[in-house]
Amino acid sequence: MKILNPATHALIAEVSEDSASSVRAKLARARFAQPAWAALPLKKRLDTIRVFRTRITEMLETLARTLTLEVGKPIRQSRNEINGLLGRIDFFLAEARRILRAEKVYTDAKSKLEERISHEPLGVIANISAWNYPYFVGGNVFIPALIAGNAVLYKPSEYATLTGLHIAALLYEAGVPTDVFIPVVGGPAVGAALLRQPVDGVFFTGSYATGVKVGAAAGRRMAKVQLELGGKDPIYVCDDVDVKAAAAGIADGAFYNTGQSCCSVERIYVHQKIHDAFVNSFVAEVKGFKVGDPLDDSSYIGPLTRRPQLDVLRRQVADAKRKGATLLAGGGIIKGKGNWFEPTVFANVDHRMVLMKDESFGPIVGIQKVANDAEAIKLMNDTEYGLTAGVYTADEKRARRILAEVHSGSVYWNCCDRVSPRLPWSGVGHSGIGVTLGTAGIATFTRPKAWHMKAN
Ligand code: NAD
């Protein structure tokens, strides 16, 4: 498999892909190795992950550079992602013991009955991952899964393979056995081959379209399935905000990582009273973003990771223009080598336009004027997705009232495009099923076993 730099289309590396038979052999190795890993005292597994954390900090610059080269993420954002992983590891290390401890839930001295729950690892799990935040979306799965005593077959996205191989190397250096964490290399066909193996759990991050296939394949096996899918995340700006500050925060939420975040702001609704002022500030903010070489520290917008996405954006732009939207910034492919698209802003959009309905996953956003809170809520909920949604207002009560009515896994007041290791990460509707992060995101890698114990 050829690995190309999305900024230049230069060949970075060639790696050999897995085949159906090598995937089968990897499952057999993991199956054999998992019980011994699970039998280690928890402290040993935690210590191993602690060493992995140290190795990440020691290798940070190399890891960031690889991530930037293969994904096109601006280098400062690559460093941010890897640093962000450290906080997530710290959360898992701090909470795992409490969540994995067996519990005595009932005792009856008279009948000498005791009821207990132990938290058993699932066994061997498949972790099929996305490329946009490979350290985050991968780490949300393989770190707690390993801590809980599972073996992991880790399929990084074909667009983040070198990062996946780096992760494997650092886990091995930290002491994770080579049969307990095994990378599976390749694209969709290799992912599908992995799903044909009798794994005990499938943890997938990616698009809704692929999630449907993954769910169907895993369903036949009765394996536990988690799907973390896409979003069309809305923000509503009320009439009582500091317009400049709100515009700056929301522009960052829409364009960070070149708009390729599952929780990127993809739709903006603005109260009519401040609409024009907000649009002006927002466009000024976006025009200030530096587009350029992702290895350059000063670049904020990089290339798109996947070339086909350029066409998706081009079609969204054409459709919005045809239906009467006003183009205020960007709007086209940047010619030359690499997958470059201008930071693009539309006003006067509405829900007939694909731009306001389908996930864009790129540097583009639409701004729609609304008359009041009720209209904003109705439009925010007019989507198949439900990953995150936010409101900007000076009034906390107003924010709580609005956010209570919004159907999404995470809600934000005066912030956006944010993930916390302490809070569960989940989606509603086409945004998926299951939870990572938070304490529920540790427990999910276990199966509760019920013990009915009666002394004679
Ligand atoms: P994708 O669906 O194209 O691919 C995801 C993974 O699935 C890749 O590893 C790919 O090789 C594999 N795959 C593809 N077809 C397969 C099949 N038939 N069987 C098994 N595996 C298969 O998604 P992507 O382009 O890597 O990621 C972008 C999408 O991920 C966006 O929709 C984004 O919103 C979503 N995402 C969601 C979250 C979240 O936490 N909810 C986080 C990051 C990304």
Side-chain angles (χ1 to χ4, degrees):
M1 190 167 70
K2 286 188 165 58
I3 311 234
L4 301 181
N5 180 337
T8 60
H9 290 165
L11 180 70
I12 308 171
E14 284 188 69
V15 293
S16 48
E17 258 186 282
D18 268 292
S19 62
S21 64
S22 70
V23 172
R24 201 176 318 122
K26 286 181 173 181
L27 185 272
R29 280 167 51 203
R31 179 70 70 209
F32 186 77
Q34 186 268 331
W37 174 248
L40 288 176
L42 175 58
K43 182 177 181 311
K44 282 250 158 72
R45 294 197 299 275
L46 293 174
D47 285 346
T48 309
I49 296 299
R50 222 168 262 125
V51 180
F52 171 67
R53 185 194 189 286
T54 306
R55 290 297 293 136
I56 291 263
T57 59
E58 289 163 356
M59 293 291 292
L60 197 137
E61 212 40 51
T62 308
L63 303 178
R65 198 181 151 79
T66 301
L67 181 56
T68 290
L69 282 175
E70 68 176 339
V71 169
K73 191 185 293 264
I75 188 79
R76 291 167 74 107
Q77 299 176 20
S78 291
R79 290 188 199 112
N80 287 350
E81 180 181 347
I82 298 167
N83 278 318
L85 177 70
L86 304 178
R88 296 186 186 202
I89 295 176
D90 291 341
F91 172 80
F92 293 133
L93 290 174
E95 294 292 335
R97 191 171 294 284
R98 186 168 68 83
I99 303 304
L100 299 176
R101 185 181 295 138
E103 307 150 66
K104 197 191 291 180
V105 292
Y106 181 74
T107 47
D108 180 44
K110 216 158 129 214
S111 62
K112 298 185 185 161
L113 177 72
E114 185 177 301
E115 295 175 352
R116 299 174 68 83
I117 305 169
S118 64
H119 302 282
E120 310 290 324
L122 297 172
V124 180
I125 65 150
N127 177 192
I128 300 180
S129 200
W131 47 266
N132 61 331
Y133 283 97
Y135 286 96
F136 283 164
V137 298
N140 290 352
V141 172
F142 65 73
I143 294 169
L146 288 171
I147 289 174
N150 297 280
V152 179
L153 296 177
Y154 176 60
K155 198 196 91 54
S157 163
E158 58 275 33
Y159 294 98
T161 304
L162 300 179
T163 292
L165 297 175
H166 268 320
I167 288 171
L170 295 184
L171 284 168
Y172 300 154
E173 284 173 28
V176 174
T178 51
D179 287 353
V180 165
F181 181 91
I182 312 180
V184 172
V185 173
V190 173
L194 178 54
L195 292 176
R196 286 196 292 275
Q197 297 306 312
V199 293
D200 304 302
V202 174
F203 294 81
F204 170 80
T205 308
S207 61
Y208 167 73
T210 311
V212 169
K213 294 183 201 162
V214 170
R220 277 199 293 275
R221 303 215 158 274
M222 296 297 152
K224 176 165 188 171
V225 184
Q226 278 202 183
L227 306 169
E228 301 212 335
L229 310 177
K232 189 72 194 167
D233 297 359
I235 289 287
Y236 169 40
V237 189
C238 296
D239 49 345
D240 59 354
V241 295
D242 171 343
V243 167
K244 249 186 129 188
I250 297 167
D252 186 44
F255 288 89
Y256 191 83
N257 205 30
T258 314
Q260 303 171 113
S261 307
C262 51
C263 52
S264 283
V265 176
E266 293 231 350
R267 300 178 282 149
I268 304 172
Y269 303 99
V270 184
H271 196 284
Q272 57 187 0
K273 279 194 198 152
I274 54 146
H275 174 269
D276 294 356
F278 178 86
V279 167
N280 286 340
S281 284
F282 189 85
V283 169
E285 199 66 43
V286 173
K287 287 192 169 161
F289 288 151
K290 183 166 175 228
V291 181
D293 178 359
L295 282 171
D296 183 334
D297 256 23
S298 66
S299 296
Y300 178 79
I301 301 276
L304 294 184
T305 306
R306 292 166 305 172
R307 188 157 184 78
Q309 200 65 11
L310 291 175
D311 262 341
V312 172
L313 299 187
R314 215 168 32 84
R315 283 199 299 271
Q316 290 196 352
V317 167
D319 174 75
K321 280 184 178 165
R322 203 172 43 244
K323 292 176 181 160
T326 313
L327 180 63
L328 297 173
I333 291 171
I334 302 172
K335 296 214 168 60
K337 287 193 175 141
N339 315 327
W340 295 86
F341 202 90
E342 295 172 308
T344 298
V345 181
F346 276 102
N348 297 322
V349 294
D350 62 46
H351 280 212
R352 290 171 305 133
M353 299 170 188
V354 188
L355 171 64
M356 296 302 275
K357 301 294 278 183
D358 291 359
E359 190 177 44
S360 304
F361 227 60
I364 180 169
V365 74
I367 305 176
Q368 183 165 353
K369 190 191 289 185
V370 294
N372 51 38
D373 296 1
E375 187 186 5
I377 293 166
K378 190 162 166 254
L379 289 169
M380 287 165 100
N381 284 334
D382 180 27
T383 174
E384 307 272 15
Y385 289 108
L387 193 59
T388 81
V391 58
Y392 279 66
T393 169
D395 178 350
E396 181 175 354
K397 276 208 186 111
R398 187 174 177 186
R400 284 181 185 275
R401 202 170 52 238
I402 294 165
L403 294 176
E405 288 191 49
V406 168
H407 308 304
S408 74
S410 297
V411 292
Y412 304 120
W413 176 39
N414 290 337
C415 57
C416 56
D417 191 28
R418 178 176 194 277
V419 180
S420 162
R422 298 167 292 277
L423 294 174
W425 185 249
S426 68
V428 171
H430 287 190
S431 292
I433 47 176
V435 179
T436 50
L437 297 174
T439 50
I442 301 173
T444 197
F445 298 100
T446 66
R447 161 179 74 74
K449 186 168 180 174
W451 299 70
H452 307 243
M453 308 298 283
K454 206 158 186 299
N456 267 327

